[in-house]
Amino acid sequence: MTEEKTNEQTGESPEEARRRKLEQISALGHDPWGHRFDDRALIGDIRARDGEVKYVLEDGTEVDLPSEAELETVSLKEWAAEKGKGKLNGPQVRAAGRIVLHRDKGKLQFIDIEDWTGKIQLFVGQKQVGEENWELIQCLDLGDLIGVDGMLRRTQTGELSIFADKIHFLTKTLDPPPAKHVGLTDPEVRQRKRYIDLAWNEGVRDRFLDRSRIVKSVRDTLQGQGFVEIEGPTLHSIAGGAAARPFNTHHNALDMELYMRIALELHLKRLMVGGMERVFEVGRVYRNEGISPKHNPEFSMLEVYQAYGDYELMMDLTEAVISDAIKSIGASETLPWGDKEINFATPFERKTYDELFQIHTGVDPHDAAAVKAYASELGFDVEGRHPDVIKSDVFEEKVEDALVGPIFVTDYPASICPLTKRKSDNPDVAERFELFVHGMEVANAYTELNDPDLQQKLFETQLEGMSEEDSMAKMDNDFVTALRNGMPPAGGLGIGIDRLVMLLTNSQSIREIILFPLLRAESSS
RNA sequence: GGGAUCGUAGCUCAGUCGGUAGAGCAACGGACUUUUAAUCCGUAGGUCCAGGGUUCGAGCCCCUGCGAUCCCA
């Protein structure tokens, strides 16, 4: 403690070193926080210009360079020696990006920079950039943002590189990056500090860019079929349209209890009454329930309604939306899913609820007593509960997890579908399907119920053994009134955007595809 | 809500039986004008998640709390 520190480098923390260099950058007359930097090309586009790099012989003849594959076997140096005396020439380029790797060879440095289209190596020599710029280059740290002007060429080993004429300083990074090539692994920190995860962990940024492409593709597919996107309210006075516990909130001026929406359904249907014949909304819904690898309290839903349609049409639409989304991220119909695969070739398999029930349980779905006995064996509480609720419990337990899919499960028991039209030849069966893939419910669709009297009755009917918050049957008089004004027969479809993105990007956790998933508040201690 | 596992340097991780706190990367000083996770020499860096307990002695054992991950409900 009393020992005197004789060496000025003693005890300097990474941050102190960076702050020292920040001061130095200012002292050299540069703004350590940078400024507008025009005319830079994206690194991906610069890399695509590799064909413009030529070997120019002394007589002025330009020779194409060997391909990347050939350079695996022959060094560029040997290749050039064979061609005769000459020099490499390429286009003048300007790039900007984050320093992700740094190899210091004294009077020569190799700096890898990255933007959101790719990485490229900078060849930076003291003699080439000049003394003044070289001093600035001594102040660079991993993570800093820089710009570069230089010629696109290849090094002796064949690596496509920008041979720097000048380095521009664009922004200092005070925190050191995570371990190179290992990155940030702690899942908590990855989510709390998503910026580090995005900047440094392989594939994270691409996954979120894919998410954006998928959402865009969904919109394009629907708009291409004449659907119109709308924005419904997120604050609802009745949390209807789905069976879920809502978040409660309050409007002060109106002194009114409100709920964050749990579904988009009922307002989109009101629009159908108003003559919006093909509408959809992609939006956030909020469900005050548990958090799991498949559940985040806020998530994104697509709901689509098509006048004069039905659930069969919604199956075709689901296939189109998913097929187009796969194309939009440049993927193929067969996608990896962990150590398994998913084959999204259309048409997807279709089987009825009862068929699947029979197959996976061996119990006759029409024999209520047998189903009840089977459920009892599985440990379900069966007394005083509606037969269809019992059947639904068994279905979720024994069938859903077993479904590999993609498979459309069709024709659900009507009593658990209060917003769905019944089959004209069988009022006990609802024209509904759900799409399952590897046990995950991805889509849910109905031929929409448009009979106001039946809708009112179903809202009034609580199924035995179902708590109010687990039930979709919540009276919404305003919605029933809307139906009295004539909603066309229609097909309606809901797709869980997050789950679709999970499946298409091989992400087993929803937290990998939601930028900022809900986390417990950090303790202040 | 229940169970299991985890929390150690900026990052990734070791830490034996309870006995002086360790490595790699990053950082700092030095050498190097064609490197590829560059290499080589040297230096520094710790609230072992928090609080309590047991003990001569706790990163390690016990309790409580906080946070995380997975499984189950």
Side-chain angles (χ1 to χ4, degrees), chain A residues 317-517:
Chain A
L317 187 59
T318 304
E319 287 172 347
V321 163
I322 293 177
S323 296
D324 289 351
I326 289 168
K327 282 179 213 142
S328 77
I329 57 169
S332 70
E333 274 177 354
T334 304
L335 291 169
W337 181 248
D339 52 10
K340 303 188 186 80
E341 281 189 344
I342 314 169
N343 183 357
F344 278 109
T346 54
F348 303 156
E349 193 182 359
R350 302 174 185 198
K351 275 204 162 59
T352 68
Y353 186 93
D354 281 348
E355 274 179 285
L356 289 163
F357 192 95
Q358 175 81 48
I359 292 166
H360 288 93
T361 65
V363 177
D364 178 2
H366 303 103
D367 184 343
V371 172
K372 187 173 172 180
Y374 184 77
S376 197
E377 264 175 61
L378 290 173
F380 286 108
D381 188 11
V382 293
E383 290 315 313
R385 310 191 76 201
H386 190 285
D388 285 341
V389 175
I390 296 170
K391 199 164 151 188
S392 169
D393 283 345
V394 172
F395 191 89
E396 283 178 26
E397 167 90 9
K398 300 300 289 184
V399 184
E400 289 187 0
D401 286 350
L403 297 174
V404 175
I407 180 170
F408 289 118
V409 179
T410 65
D411 299 346
Y412 278 65
S415 51
I416 58 170
C417 308
L419 300 166
T420 314
K421 194 185 279 285
R422 279 72 178 112
K423 280 200 166 298
S424 47
D425 59 350
N426 186 353
D428 293 334
V429 176
E431 293 201 344
R432 171 184 184 180
F433 75 77
E434 293 195 348
L435 175 67
F436 281 89
V437 183
H438 282 291
M440 264 202 292
E441 180 200 331
V442 179
N444 183 19
Y446 314 142
T447 300
E448 301 298 340
L449 179 61
N450 62 343
D451 171 345
D453 293 339
L454 180 55
Q455 184 67 79
Q456 176 159 6
K457 195 173 137 231
L458 293 174
F459 276 157
E460 282 166 353
T461 312
Q462 285 301 328
L463 291 187
E464 300 158 70
M466 214 180 231
S467 64
E468 193 175 350
E469 63 208 3
D470 289 336
S471 171
M472 282 190 251
K474 275 183 211 125
M475 180 54 72
D476 187 334
N477 286 314
D478 182 67
F479 175 66
V480 171
T481 303
L483 293 187
R484 291 163 62 94
N485 290 273
M487 185 181 95
L493 165 68
I495 293 181
I497 294 291
D498 305 271
R499 288 179 175 182
L500 179 62
V501 173
M502 284 171 73
L503 289 165
L504 301 194
T505 61
N506 192 16
S507 307
Q508 265 77 62
S509 170
I510 198 168
R511 293 192 193 97
E512 296 293 334
I513 51 96
I514 289 182
L515 281 165
F516 299 101

Side-chain angles (χ1 to χ4, degrees), chain A residues 3-220:
Chain A
E3 195 182 359
E4 204 178 321
K5 307 217 162 148
T6 51
N7 193 336
E8 69 159 20
Q9 81 251 23
T10 300
E12 188 183 46
S13 72
E15 182 182 334
E16 284 161 351
R18 281 162 184 265
R19 287 192 182 276
R20 175 169 53 74
K21 284 181 254 189
L22 183 145
E23 295 299 322
Q24 182 63 23
I25 290 163
S26 291
L28 290 169
H30 300 273
D31 185 346
W33 306 110
H35 44 74
R36 175 170 165 170
F37 191 65
D38 288 335
D39 302 325
R40 60 123 183 181
L42 292 169
I43 289 170
D45 294 339
I46 291 173
R47 295 201 76 96
R49 297 181 70 183
D50 63 339
E52 295 174 42
V53 181
K54 308 285 186 193
Y55 189 61
V56 184
L57 298 173
E58 282 190 324
D59 62 7
T61 350
E62 289 189 354
V63 184
D64 284 342
L65 263 49
S67 69
E68 296 270 355
E70 288 169 295
L71 284 167
E72 298 286 318
T73 52
V74 193
S75 89
L76 192 58
K77 200 175 178 179
E78 290 161 10
W79 177 88
E82 254 176 55
K83 296 286 167 195
K85 264 197 138 178
K87 60 179 184 182
L88 283 172
N89 200 14
Q92 196 69 19
V93 294
R94 165 172 273 202
R98 189 183 292 278
I99 300 175
V100 292
L101 220 49
H102 189 206
R103 293 175 292 283
D104 186 346
K105 266 191 58 82
K107 295 186 175 63
L108 184 61
Q109 295 191 17
F110 295 90
I111 298 172
D112 292 2
I113 63 167
E114 182 181 44
D115 69 15
W116 67 346
T117 66
K119 287 181 204 174
I120 197 159
Q121 172 175 272
L122 310 185
F123 180 106
V124 184
Q126 182 173 14
K127 211 165 64 190
Q128 289 83 343
V129 299
E131 280 310 320
E132 204 180 317
N133 202 222
W134 189 248
E135 272 190 74
L136 175 67
I137 288 158
Q138 302 318 298
C139 302
L140 301 181
D141 282 303
L142 283 178
D144 289 353
L145 304 177
I146 60 170
V148 60
D149 287 311
M151 186 187 278
L152 184 68
R153 277 161 59 188
R154 283 182 187 274
T155 61
Q156 281 183 9
T157 52
E159 176 86 12
L160 191 67
S161 307
I162 298 172
F163 285 68
D165 300 323
K166 186 172 184 190
I167 297 294
H168 304 264
F169 197 84
L170 295 177
T171 290
K172 194 70 195 164
T173 305
L174 294 176
D175 288 343
K180 63 181 178 189
H181 309 291
V182 180
L184 195 60
T185 60
D186 183 330
E188 181 188 355
V189 184
R190 285 188 52 211
Q191 289 158 35
R192 287 196 195 279
K193 302 190 174 180
R194 186 63 94 187
Y195 42 91
I196 295 179
D197 190 38
L198 285 162
W200 294 97
N201 280 1
E202 188 85 32
V204 174
R205 213 165 41 225
D206 286 339
R207 195 183 312 126
F208 283 108
L209 291 176
D210 274 348
R211 178 180 178 127
S212 176
R213 290 180 190 112
I214 290 166
V215 172
K216 177 179 187 300
S217 163
V218 167
R219 289 196 161 101
D220 288 347

Side-chain angles (χ1 to χ4, degrees), chain A residues 277-322:
Chain A
E277 297 186 357
R278 292 190 177 203
V279 282
F280 75 96
E281 178 168 9
V282 178
R284 204 66 62 85
V285 296
Y286 306 84
R287 296 187 180 176
N288 204 342
E289 292 172 346
I291 294 174
S292 86
K294 289 178 194 169
H295 299 88
N296 193 60
E298 53 176 314
F299 60 100
S300 297
M301 283 276 296
L302 163 72
E303 289 198 25
V304 192
Y305 293 85
Q306 178 176 349
Y308 313 115
D310 69 355
Y311 77 140
E312 297 274 352
L313 280 175
M314 292 300 105
M315 286 189 227
D316 301 340
L317 187 59
T318 304
E319 287 172 347
V321 163
I322 293 177

